[in-house]
Amino acid sequence: MDLKKFVRDIPDFPVKGIIFRDVTPLLKSPQAFKFAVDEMARILSDVSFDCIVSPEARGFIFGAALAYKLGKGFVPVRKPGKLPYETVSLEYQLEYGTAQLQIHADAIEPGQKVLIVDDVLATGGTAEAIGKLVQKLGGQVAAMCFLIELTYLNPRERLKGYDVRTVLKY
Ligand SMILES: O=P(O)(O)OC[C@H]1O[C@H](OP(=O)(O)OP(=O)(O)O)[C@H](O)[C@@H]1O
Ligand SMILES: Nc1ncnc2[nH]cnc12
């Protein structure tokens, strides 16, 4: 299946100069959504890990689907003020601005192997921040998996040392 047919390009969203890769057409198609999650599972078949960590909002969709498919637990990373228990925070740069992410302080056991999952890998800032949060809690990043990689933003430069796997490259 040509999954790129289900990713819509929106120029100048959310700010001028950004081409936004909109996955809502893919999510709306039962066949494309299933194929996308199955592909993520397929390219991870040799990776061993204990749980999946994903950021809100779009990361939850793919991270949770993949966790269910692979029989793993799911750990949410959220924007500030959303998680109810004690948190660990990190500020980071986005393709369009800066942001802060939080994870529950007890979300990962020391030594646990974590798979980081998100919809889009753009600058790599979000993934790098989540990697740091996981390590702060004593976890190990087994790999990172994204449906879409924006290669023209060179995210892998920022994620050197991590095993980065992506389904679609732009
Ligand atoms: O590689 P980066 O440059 O860090 O960009 C990638 C991140 O940006 C988007 O999330 P966004 O912060 O727009 O939040 P959303 O999922 O709530 O829309 C996307 O879902 C990734 O999490
Ligand atoms: N260009 C883009 N399209 C969709 N999601 C993004 N997250 C960061 N940059 C993005």
Side-chain angles (χ1 to χ4, degrees), residues 8-30:
R8 179 164 57 188
D9 288 355
I10 314 276
D12 299 323
F13 183 89
V15 293
K16 209 167 163 39
I18 300 290
I19 304 169
F20 192 86
R21 312 294 174 173
D22 175 19
V23 296
T24 61
L26 181 150
L27 296 172
K28 195 171 75 171
S29 160

Side-chain angles (χ1 to χ4, degrees), residues 9-170:
D9 288 355
I10 314 276
D12 299 323
F13 183 89
V15 293
K16 209 167 163 39
I18 300 290
I19 304 169
F20 192 86
R21 312 294 174 173
D22 175 19
V23 296
T24 61
L26 181 150
L27 296 172
K28 195 171 75 171
S29 160
Q31 295 80 12
F33 185 27
K34 182 173 193 317
F35 187 76
V37 176
D38 289 348
E39 278 297 285
M40 292 172 95
R42 188 180 63 77
I43 65 171
L44 290 165
S45 59
D46 61 323
V47 179
S48 108
F49 61 94
D50 305 306
C51 70
I52 291 182
V53 176
S54 299
E56 71 172 295
R58 285 172 277 146
F60 285 5
I61 300 167
F62 293 96
L66 199 58
Y68 181 81
K69 180 179 170 68
L70 299 177
K72 306 291 182 183
F74 179 80
V75 172
V77 167
R78 298 210 64 180
K79 289 164 187 168
K82 298 286 188 182
L83 288 170
Y85 183 65
E86 187 190 328
T87 57
V88 173
S89 308
L90 208 83
E91 192 163 293
Y92 68 105
Q93 299 286 321
L94 264 184
E95 189 185 6
Y96 32 79
T98 71
Q100 205 191 63
L101 287 177
Q102 297 184 326
I103 192 168
H104 270 153
D106 66 348
I108 292 160
E109 306 300 324
Q112 257 196 326
K113 285 191 269 177
V114 169
L115 174 72
I116 294 171
V117 173
D118 205 348
D119 66 331
V120 175
L121 175 61
T123 64
T126 305
E128 186 186 28
I130 298 171
K132 285 182 182 160
L133 285 172
V134 166
Q135 282 155 23
K136 264 195 189 184
L137 299 186
Q140 291 171 23
V141 179
M144 299 180 168
C145 183
F146 306 85
L147 180 65
I148 293 169
E149 175 180 356
L150 305 183
T151 60
Y152 52 87
L153 295 174
N154 295 318
R156 285 171 193 262
E157 276 295 302
R158 205 155 168 176
L159 300 176
K160 277 190 183 137
Y162 290 113
D163 180 351
V164 177
R165 311 209 176 181
T166 60
V167 176
L168 301 175
K169 289 159 186 71
Y170 287 83

